[in-house]
Amino acid sequence: MNYLYAIYIPLIPLFFFLLLGIFYKKIKPPVSGWLGTLGLLTVFLISAFLAYNYFFVEGKIGDVYQTYVYKSDWMRFTDTLKIEMGVLIDPISVMMLIVVSTVSLLVHIYSTGYMKGDEGYTKFFAFLSLFTFSMMGLVLSTNLFQIYIFWELVGVSSFLLIGYYYTKPSAVAAAKKAFIVTRFADLGFLIGILIIGYYTGTFDFASLNSLEGPAIANWASQSFMGLSVITWALILIFMGGAGKSAMFPLHIWLPDAMEGPTPVSALIHAATMVVAGVFLVARLFPVYYFVEDGFALHIVAWVGAFSSLFAAIIALTQTDIKRVLAFSTMSQIGYMMLALGVSGYYGHEGLGYMASMFHLFTHAMFKALLFLAAGSVIHAVHTNNLLEMGGLRKYLPVTHLTFLIAALSIAGFPGFAGFFSKDEILVATFEHSKLLYGIGISVAFLTAFYMFRLYFGIFWNKQREYKHTPHESPLAMTLPLMVLAFLSIVTGYIHFSEYVSADKKGFEAHLNVPLATIAVTMAVVGMGLAFLFYKKKTTLPDKIADTLGGLYQWVYHKFYIDELYLFVTKEIIFKRVSTPFAWFDKHVVDGTMNLIGNSTVAGSEKIKGMQSGRIQDYAFAFLGGLVILVIIVVYNLM
Amino acid sequence: MIAGVSIYEILTVTTLLFFIGIYGFLTRKNMITMLLSVELILNASAINFVIMNKYLFPENLEGVYFSIFIIAIAAAESALAVAIIINLYKLVTSVEVEDTETMKY
């Protein structure tokens, strides 16, 4: 039972990144795409082999899924302070390997069609490989520092890919925004890691998560402002996770990140990188659950629930189809956080944990599908604007059908993958808190509504005139759509609870029929409303928007959160705080330095006359010194 | 041993010679005369070596040998110095030490 070969999973994409990156002028477009795809195919096969072995053959010893850790010292400062690198195999990391490799492989195939004819084709595949390397490294991390390193690496790859069209100012601005916002959040993450390291003496996941470990056993020993220091550290770590996963109030970068190419949005900003925050909380779940009776976990639940509702409301009003999907992603990640937040640890109590991972899994499939289908639509009509689309079902039959499957899946229609995972989340939430359940069920309704607004708006509605008759995308693009559509249905039938659970023992989960009925009713009502509003061109939506007036505008402008942040940073921080600091820096700090420099120059101007260049002056000085020395010596001796 | 002359008298002479040399080195403007002054200093010390040897350790000869070395080195040194001065003269057409202070600061 040696899983050491898992190390090749991140290393193969790294190799292809270096290959494509170094020789990017030599390797011409079609070849670089095939190379990248080949690399990912290998990674996918290794991951699948590993997952099969782990889950079905030999991972379970007794009734517990084992955790395998292979690591070595990377940087060793002292005996206790050292940073290790390695791979960690446990149910959630193996599950994430499958998610990342599947979606990444399909996105690679899709990109060979979507990016055809683009100038930076090779560069694009190099960046995709870099991202896959970083994400695999993140998933397999054995300790907090390693995960932090890969965390930043995925941030960099995301930055590079959002700013891929670097001649477009909006893309550059979006890339910077994404980087700065997530970097700001990662500051919290880093402080959290350092606090954990200082108070528990370890960064290692295995010892942190161990129930007798220093974090869980001794959390009460140190406290700060009424809370345990470990709780503070967990809140700060969650801040990093919230930044990466676009949770309120650090969500502002995600909609703008849609400036990147659509396959990137599907891979990074829908399926894999943005769920890193969920993965992080899940990775440290025992610590979150046991320290201070899950205080930090309550914060996770509430932030998740609020973000979920908040994003779903904004998604109702947006007209850029990729932005609707971006807010939908934020909303669904909020769901996952909510599920983690309400979860327990032992056996069936860990339903929320399992539901969160289940939803992460199914969401990756159908959300990647939605993005790729949206990319196919954009490819055909060359616009992102929903208002300029309509009646596309005749032109794009495959895209239409796959989009419909994905939309049904995310709306939670019975029989599709999203139905099963969403049901588990709602059951877990219902058992924990009725208020959170209320939020969850209304988000389910809103999700169904805005997804079908999008669906009807793109594929039905009014027939429009297009400059070029839209045509279906090439096979390289429709094949991944079909595979993902298949996965968006069948992944729901996996008995997920047997494989992934908080205590790693697995349990039996059953469909809760009454709650499922409520959820399905809400979803169907949402779809029905969307059908009434958007199936045909009607004035109904505009009328409602007019009636709501200011409220509609408020939501349309995303609650003015961006404007608020701009105001806070520009008007308050830059003008009120930074300007005095800049003055102080320019005049006092620089002034002191200049004073030292200038006085040295002036002083040397004064005394440089001593170096006359006349040999006799030097000889005189030498002799004078000698005489003085002699006098001193003689006087002392006498 | 020179009859009727004590070591103090000879040392007085060499000391005078030494300081005349230093005075000349510090005050002369002409490089040739400065070179002559340096020779005076060297001669003063050479004489001192011989005198010390003769009066204090008459059975040894190190002081005498040392003064021979000094004379040889002084000859080489003055040949070198004169060569430098001649080259300098070609460059600045002067042997005044004040005209050669371009390497200051």
Side-chain angles (χ1 to χ4, degrees), chain B residues 14 17-18 39-53 63-64 66-71 74:
Chain B
T14 56
L17 205 56
F18 184 83
E39 294 301 322
L40 284 186
I41 298 171
L42 279 168
N43 280 342
S45 50
I47 293 170
N48 266 9
F49 271 110
V50 177
I51 291 302
M52 295 290 181
N53 189 356
V64 180
F66 224 97
S67 61
I68 291 170
F69 277 114
I70 290 176
I71 291 164

Side-chain angles (χ1 to χ4, degrees), chain A residues 206-436:
Chain A
S207 56
L208 283 175
N209 283 341
S210 135
L211 299 194
E212 295 85 34
I216 294 175
N218 300 325
W219 60 265
S221 60
Q222 296 281 340
S223 67
F224 174 72
M225 280 170 57
L227 289 173
S228 158
V229 281
I230 304 293
T231 303
W232 282 109
L234 291 175
I235 292 171
L236 285 166
I237 288 175
F238 176 62
M239 178 180 162
K244 206 55 116 198
S245 289
M247 291 289 98
F248 182 85
L250 295 164
H251 64 280
I252 54 164
W253 64 273
L254 188 60
D256 289 26
M258 297 301 133
E259 291 290 343
T262 309
V264 170
S265 311
L267 175 60
I268 302 186
H269 306 121
T272 55
M273 187 193 82
V274 285
V275 296
V278 182
F279 178 76
L280 182 65
V281 177
R283 173 55 84 218
L284 288 170
F285 186 75
V287 190
Y288 272 95
Y289 183 70
F290 286 107
V291 170
E292 204 132 19
D293 300 327
F295 184 88
L297 208 54
H298 287 300
I299 294 177
V300 173
W302 280 99
V303 168
F306 182 76
S307 304
S308 174
L309 186 63
F310 178 83
I313 292 172
I314 296 176
L316 296 177
T317 60
Q318 299 299 306
T319 53
D320 182 326
I321 58 172
K322 280 179 77 183
R323 282 183 188 236
V324 175
L325 294 177
F327 280 110
S328 156
T329 305
M330 180 183 160
S331 171
Q332 298 300 310
I333 295 170
Y335 247 52
M336 298 171 206
M337 290 287 191
L338 168 63
L340 273 181
V342 298
S343 179
Y345 185 74
Y346 296 106
H348 194 271
E349 287 171 14
L351 183 66
Y353 178 90
M354 166 266 166
S356 171
M357 291 297 110
F358 193 14
H359 198 58
L360 191 161
F361 191 75
T362 58
H363 172 259
M365 303 305 162
F366 58 68
K367 187 49 69 64
L369 173 54
L370 283 170
F371 267 105
L372 294 182
S376 175
V377 171
I378 294 165
H379 195 68
V381 299
H382 302 289
T383 174
N384 282 8
N385 196 337
L386 182 61
L387 303 178
E388 293 170 24
M389 298 175 186
L392 284 169
R393 67 186 182 285
K394 287 185 206 114
Y395 305 111
L396 309 169
V398 179
T399 311
H400 168 226
L401 198 64
T402 49
F403 194 97
L404 177 63
I405 290 170
L408 285 170
S409 192
I410 191 174
F413 197 77
F416 293 86
F419 164 72
F420 297 99
S421 54
K422 199 177 272 190
D423 179 63
E424 304 290 359
I425 290 183
L426 290 173
V427 171
T429 316
F430 185 77
E431 285 167 3
H432 186 263
S433 146
K434 301 290 175 288
L435 180 58
L436 288 172

Side-chain angles (χ1 to χ4, degrees), chain A residues 608-620 623, chain B residues 22 24-29 34 97-98 100-101 104-105:
Chain A
K608 77 178 179 184
M610 279 166 64
Q611 302 287 334
S612 62
R614 278 194 292 268
I615 188 80
Q616 285 154 331
D617 290 359
Y618 300 140
F620 185 72
L623 201 73
Chain B
I22 284 183
F25 184 75
L26 291 180
T27 54
R28 292 289 119 186
K29 302 291 179 204
M34 282 168 71
V97 77
E98 277 167 357
T100 60
E101 52 187 35
K104 65 181 175 182
Y105 311 149

Side-chain angles (χ1 to χ4, degrees), chain A residues 19 108 160 188 236 243 281 344 489 543 601 635:
Chain A
L19 183 75
H108 271 74
L160 290 170
L236 285 166
V281 177
I489 300 171
K543 267 187 203 155
V601 170
Y635 179 79

